[in-house]
Amino acid sequence: MDNRLIILGTGNAMVTRCFNTCFILESGDNRFMVDAGGGNGILKQMMAAGVEFSTIHHLYLTHAHTDHVMGAVWVVRKVTSLISQGRYDGVLQVYGHERVLHVLRTMCEMMLPRKFSSMLGDKILLVEVTDGEHFEAAGMQLVAFDIHSTKEKQFGFTALLPDGTRVACLGDEPFNSHCREHVSGADWLLSEAFCLYDDRERFKPYEKHHSTALDTGRLAKELNVRNLVMYHTEDKTLATRKQTYAEEAAKEFDGNIYVPDDLEVIFLC
């Protein structure tokens, strides 16, 4: 069974040269979408990635920052439109902690036409998950966990794929040791890396509660993972980002390092 990571966006909240960080974890025919960026650009990214909204039945929202949850309103808008046209089978399940689901529900009820927002609770199911909760979605065994954010309540997750591959998503803030039991020894670690350590004075990652590529490489080594994927970056160095971020992380981590561009597909093998 093929396992793939479809990267829809790689940038932080204020990027204009790439899309906000969101992705799809795919195993066979099952797709688990994580976040949706900050607006209707998600429609363009999905089209460019060749992913039909009719195949998305599971969406996980990490937190309620604009660059992660605003696009979810457009996902709901698109799916409810497909449902009304008879072009979507089943339901869309949206997973998240109580705050992010409250924000999504409020935005949908205030912004979407009644014929679409009325599907909340019927065709669009908001599924609350709690810290440490185990649940199954898209053929995967998942565990949600609180990353102990210093800014906004945020959950990461681990996903055990059918072939035993274990993927850990840390959200978009620096690692908190409370999460170690969930992510240590993962096959794949998905982590933010706001900028290069060498560019820390330019981009001020620590003031923004973010990490550098060097920090993330050190973390990957500490957690004893096999593969590291870095995203949620600045967008001023896109031309060199793939090479320079990987080189900096490799100063600390000798496993496989991926610094994807928007719409890149990574095979999880």
Side-chain angles (χ1 to χ4, degrees), residues 189-233:
L189 180 69
L190 316 182
S191 177
E192 58 96 17
F194 194 81
C195 66
L196 296 173
Y197 183 78
D198 288 345
D199 287 339
R200 64 193 182 281
E201 294 303 321
R202 177 184 179 189
F203 294 112
K204 311 295 184 184
Y206 303 129
E207 294 178 15
K208 299 179 176 71
H209 302 273
H210 288 303
S211 306
T212 68
L214 187 68
D215 300 323
T216 304
R218 185 177 299 121
L219 174 65
K221 178 180 180 180
E222 176 187 334
L223 293 176
N224 192 33
V225 302
R226 294 196 302 113
N227 302 278
L228 171 64
V229 179
M230 294 188 290
Y231 50 39
H232 202 267
T233 78

Side-chain angles (χ1 to χ4, degrees), residues 1 58 89 137 151 160 231 234 245-246 267:
M1 179 179 295
H58 304 275
D89 295 326
K151 296 185 294 186
L160 184 65
Y231 50 39
E234 47 78 25
Y245 278 52
F267 286 87

Side-chain angles (χ1 to χ4, degrees), residues 28-170:
D29 295 329
N30 293 311
R31 288 170 168 164
F32 186 72
M33 186 173 180
V34 180
D35 292 335
N40 76 341
I42 189 61
L43 305 180
K44 178 181 178 181
Q45 295 305 103
M46 290 283 283
M47 181 174 63
V51 178
E52 298 287 345
F53 275 94
S54 60
T55 68
I56 300 297
H57 294 276
H58 304 275
L59 170 62
Y60 186 93
L61 298 179
T62 59
H63 62 301
H65 281 169
T66 53
D67 56 318
H68 296 265
V69 73
M70 292 293 287
V73 177
W74 287 94
V75 173
V76 171
R77 172 69 174 80
K78 179 65 175 180
V79 169
T80 52
S81 177
L82 291 173
I83 291 171
S84 69
Q85 298 167 27
R87 297 168 53 200
Y88 186 96
D89 295 326
V91 301
L92 171 65
Q93 299 191 76
V94 184
Y95 308 87
H97 55 71
E98 79 284 357
R99 172 168 165 72
V100 71
L101 294 184
H102 172 71
V103 169
L104 178 62
R105 176 183 287 278
T106 301
M107 289 194 299
C108 288
E109 290 177 344
M110 295 182 68
M111 297 177 181
L112 298 183
R114 175 61 183 165
K115 67 178 181 178
F116 297 137
S117 64
S118 64
M119 295 186 196
L120 291 170
D122 179 19
K123 295 296 186 179
I124 310 297
L125 304 181
L126 304 185
V127 183
E128 181 182 341
V129 293
T130 57
D131 184 23
E133 180 174 346
H134 293 246
F135 64 104
E136 183 176 352
M140 307 171 194
Q141 301 297 321
L142 296 114
V143 182
F145 60 87
D146 192 332
I147 73 164
H148 300 275
S149 168
T150 57
K151 296 185 294 186
E152 170 75 17
K153 185 173 183 179
Q154 182 173 170
F155 277 13
F157 68 87
T158 59
L160 184 65
L161 307 186
D163 68 354
T165 300
R166 187 161 162 258
V167 179
C169 171
L170 292 179

